[in-house]
Amino acid sequence: MLNTLAIVGVGLLGGSIALAARERKLAHRIIGISRHPETLQIAQQRGMIDVGSVEWNEELSEAQLAIVCTPVDTIAELSLKLLRQYPQLIVTDVGSTKETILEAISREPKLAERFIGGHPLAGSEKSGPEHAMADLFQDRLLFITPSATSTAAATELVTRFWQTLGSQTIAMEAKKHDAIMAMISHMPCLASFALAGAIPAEYLQYSGTGLRSMCRLAGGDATMWSAIVRENRMHLLESIGKLQDGLMDLKQAIMAGDDVALQRLLEAGRRTYHALGS
Amino acid sequence: MLNTLAIVGVGLLGGSIALAARERKLAHRIIGISRHPETLQIAQQRGMIDVGSVEWNEELSEAQLAIVCTPVDTIAELSLKLLRQYPQLIVTDVGSTKETILEAISREPKLAERFIGGHPLAGSEKSGPEHAMADLFQDRLLFITPSATSTAAATELVTRFWQTLGSQTIAMEAKKHDAIMAMISHMPCLASFALAGAIPAEYLQYSGTGLRSMCRLAGGDATMWSAIVRENRMHLLESIGKLQDGLMDLKQAIMAGDDVALQRLLEAGRRTYHALGS
């Protein structure tokens, strides 16, 4: 499909895209860009990339598609640079937030023609190319957030790329995407950090599978999460507020000994559990 | 080891004890007591029990050990009745809270000689004997909370029973047990209910594995959890308060744009995740 695919940032997501693209023969050649030589070394050892580089070079002039897989707060700037420097390149990303990225890139409508935001609902609390998996995107949702000026051809290329990787694509406005993500992804992750941080260390020896399940997301990269928090600040504060309201309602029902209210609150949670189809 | 073992309440835990005791040949005969004939039917079909009964009968006069696996708020009363009616019987339970149960039973010091509190750190968000598993207690912690008057022989019998089922037993004072459980089990479960209840239904179609992990415990039995909440009220309110403090700290760091504080809070959660050995 592609002659050359460029992955900028070869971590868990970038590495998994490379592995998946290889397996599905989506590109003749995959080039990896990373600031960390040791990352490129792992990526090359695992056969993810054909060539790795710590700087941008003429290899990128051959690429049709670049996927920016760096921390969210670096994506807009890197993407604009790529779009400016390589006029043939279609650029997409895998950032967990979309609104500030799209806003920044849309300030240059001509460059924004070749930019399509992307966000795979896939990941892991692990990071680094050593944990990359070829099937990470299989049967997962993938949000596509085009800019106001994105060309149909660019949108089509990025959409088909992800569909070939096994993802189910959904086009959505960036702001709506961020509001949804704050609620179903970013707030739950911060709640996991807060809950994990509240447990006294001396109690951990008695922990069961329940606590482990609630603390799993707190294994995520704190630097990555700080960046997501900054980018999705307003929606996130609102979502944390909803959780705080829920805890306050529970507490009041418990203090008042109000079994009917307690039961109603628990049943609301149970409905969500069942709707998730677990 | 035992001639007759009685399981009072043949749900997920009771059924799993029966299966495990069978597999390890811990009793020649296992009798199941339940108010629900359909539960006994499933238990008999799965070969968990030799005989099932909706009432207490002379079968119980043959039993050496009865394990009460009913909702926590019914355990003290049922156990006292069993101790009174069957003077040969050693009685234990699997309730998630211990303090109120031990308090109630200790009011009759003579009967309390044959009562040993127990709590396996095992379970599932599923319930009913159809989900029972013979290996549910394998390599799991099991708290033993004797009463002030429990005989050494009774404590020894219950302790060895669980060890033979594969559990690692820990003797502990009931009050301390409840404080620890509030923090590492009951609060995380209520947090899961609160978080799940806060998510708008129309967002659930976009959920990923992270949200699922945080909502898993909200699949638990709301009636069972209401009972646990009632029994462990004070410790639970304190533990919910700790989570509320953690969320407030996070929110303040986000509002203030204080990256250092945010990073510190996230790292505290990450330490717990790593200490859990996931």
Side-chain angles (χ1 to χ4, degrees):
Chain A
M1 188 182 172
L2 298 168
N3 192 34
T4 301
L5 166 67
I7 309 277
V8 182
V10 193
L12 176 82
L13 290 177
S16 296
I17 294 170
L19 282 178
R22 272 264 194 273
E23 200 179 87
R24 295 175 195 233
K25 302 193 198 310
L26 263 173
H28 290 121
R29 187 170 168 79
I30 301 180
I31 63 179
I33 310 280
S34 169
R35 283 184 306 171
H36 311 289
E38 58 281 23
T39 296
L40 294 171
Q41 209 179 343
I42 295 168
Q44 252 169 332
Q45 276 162 359
R46 291 197 61 188
M48 292 167 176
I49 55 176
D50 296 291
V51 57
S53 170
V54 292
E55 351 187 276
W56 297 4
N57 51 28
E58 60 270 39
E59 297 271 3
L60 273 168
S61 317
E62 321 258 294
Q64 287 93 61
L65 178 66
I67 309 185
V68 181
C69 307
T70 58
V72 276
D73 53 352
T74 64
I75 290 172
E77 197 188 327
L78 277 177
S79 297
L80 279 170
K81 266 197 206 162
L82 283 166
L83 292 162
R84 214 172 277 131
Q85 201 163 328
Y86 303 99
Q88 89 295 351
L89 207 53
I90 289 171
V91 177
T92 186
D93 76 314
V94 295
S96 302
T97 63
K98 298 267 72 82
E99 196 175 356
T100 57
I101 295 170
L102 266 294
E103 265 173 18
I105 293 174
S106 296
R107 267 176 232 128
E108 308 213 29
K110 196 68 201 151
L111 294 181
E113 288 177 7
R114 289 179 283 121
F115 183 83
I116 312 293
H119 175 214
L121 260 194
S124 161
E125 69 278 16
K126 311 252 170 67
S127 56
E130 57 275 32
H131 296 113
M133 293 173 285
D135 62 353
L136 191 65
F137 309 105
Q138 182 68 50
D139 301 324
R140 292 301 175 83
L141 292 182
L142 187 128
F143 292 96
I144 299 274
T145 58
S147 75
T149 55
S150 300
T151 66
T155 308
E156 170 79 6
L157 177 77
V158 171
T159 303
R160 281 189 39 227
F161 180 86
W162 283 107
Q163 287 173 348
T164 313
L165 255 50
S167 296
Q168 186 195 335
T169 56
I170 304 172
M172 191 179 279
E173 200 252 322
K175 190 189 178 83
K176 185 179 172 196
H177 166 275
D178 283 10
I180 294 176
M181 283 305 114
M183 201 64 182
I184 68 167
S185 170
H186 307 162
M187 178 277 278
C189 190
L190 286 194
S192 180
F193 277 108
L195 193 150
I199 311 288
E202 67 271 26
Y203 287 4
L204 295 178
Q205 60 186 307
Y206 307 117
S207 70
T209 54
L211 183 63
R212 209 165 294 242
S213 175
M214 293 302 283
C215 294
R216 188 175 71 79
L217 299 179
D221 181 331
T223 311
M224 184 190 87
W225 279 102
S226 297
I228 290 174
V229 164
R230 274 192 300 275
E231 299 276 309
N232 205 12
R233 197 165 161 273
M234 293 316 292
H235 290 129
L236 192 42
L237 286 172
E238 198 185 319
S239 299
I240 295 175
K242 300 277 186 212
L243 174 59
Q244 288 179 311
D245 293 346
L247 289 171
M248 189 47 84
D249 289 346
L250 270 178
K251 216 170 165 177
Q252 279 169 350
I254 295 171
M255 286 194 286
D258 186 343
D259 276 0
V260 176
L262 180 60
Q263 202 69 21
R264 190 173 38 75
L265 293 167
L266 298 182
E267 286 300 343
R270 238 175 106 84
R271 267 198 301 283
T272 296
Y273 167 84
H274 285 294
L276 286 173
S278 326
Chain B
M1 186 180 172
L2 298 168
N3 192 34
T4 301
L5 166 67
I7 310 276
V8 182
V10 194
L12 176 82
L13 291 177
S16 297
I17 294 172
L19 281 178
R22 272 263 194 272
E23 200 179 87
R24 294 174 197 236
K25 303 193 198 310
L26 264 174
H28 290 120
R29 187 170 169 78
I30 301 180
I31 62 178
I33 310 281
S34 169
R35 283 185 307 170
H36 311 289
E38 58 282 23
T39 296
L40 294 171
Q41 209 180 342
I42 295 169
Q44 253 170 331
Q45 276 163 0
R46 291 197 61 188
M48 292 168 176
I49 55 176
D50 295 291
V51 56
S53 170
V54 292
E55 351 187 275
W56 296 5
N57 50 29
E58 60 270 37
E59 297 271 4
L60 273 168
S61 318
E62 322 257 295
Q64 287 93 61
L65 178 65
I67 309 185
V68 181
C69 307
T70 57
V72 277
D73 52 353
T74 64
I75 291 173
E77 197 188 328
L78 275 178
S79 297
L80 280 170
K81 266 197 206 163
L82 283 166
L83 292 162
R84 214 172 279 132
Q85 201 163 327
Y86 302 99
Q88 89 294 350
L89 207 54
I90 289 171
V91 177
T92 186
D93 76 314
V94 295
S96 302
T97 64
K98 299 267 72 81
E99 196 175 357
T100 57
I101 294 170
L102 266 294
E103 265 173 18
I105 293 174
S106 296
R107 268 177 230 128
E108 308 214 28
K110 195 68 201 152
L111 294 180
E113 288 177 6
R114 289 179 284 121
F115 184 83
I116 313 292
H119 175 215
L121 261 194
S124 162
E125 70 278 18
K126 310 253 170 67
S127 56
E130 57 275 32
H131 296 113
M133 293 173 286
D135 62 352
L136 191 65
F137 309 106
Q138 182 67 50
D139 301 322
R140 292 302 174 82
L141 293 182
L142 187 128
F143 292 96
I144 300 274
T145 59
S147 74
T149 54
S150 300
T151 66
T155 308
E156 170 78 6
L157 177 78
V158 171
T159 302
R160 280 190 38 228
F161 180 86
W162 283 107
Q163 287 173 349
T164 314
L165 255 50
S167 295
Q168 188 196 333
T169 57
I170 305 171
M172 190 179 280
E173 200 253 321
K175 189 188 178 82
K176 185 178 173 197
H177 166 275
D178 284 10
I180 294 176
M181 283 305 115
M183 200 65 182
I184 68 167
S185 170
H186 307 161
M187 178 277 278
C189 190
L190 286 195
S192 180
F193 276 107
L195 193 150
I199 312 288
E202 66 271 26
Y203 286 5
L204 295 178
Q205 60 186 306
Y206 307 117
S207 69
T209 55
L211 183 63
R212 209 165 294 242
S213 174
M214 293 302 282
C215 294
R216 187 174 71 78
L217 300 179
D221 181 332
T223 310
M224 184 190 87
W225 279 102
S226 297
I228 291 173
V229 164
R230 274 193 300 274
E231 299 277 309
N232 205 12
R233 198 164 159 272
M234 294 315 292
H235 291 129
L236 192 41
L237 286 172
E238 197 184 319
S239 299
I240 294 174
K242 299 278 186 213
L243 174 58
Q244 288 179 310
D245 292 348
L247 289 171
M248 189 47 85
D249 289 347
L250 270 179
K251 216 171 165 177
Q252 278 170 350
I254 295 171
M255 285 194 286
D258 185 343
D259 276 359
V260 176
L262 179 61
Q263 202 69 22
R264 190 173 38 75
L265 293 167
L266 298 182
E267 286 300 343
R270 237 176 107 84
R271 267 198 301 282
T272 296
Y273 167 84
H274 285 295
L276 286 173
S278 327

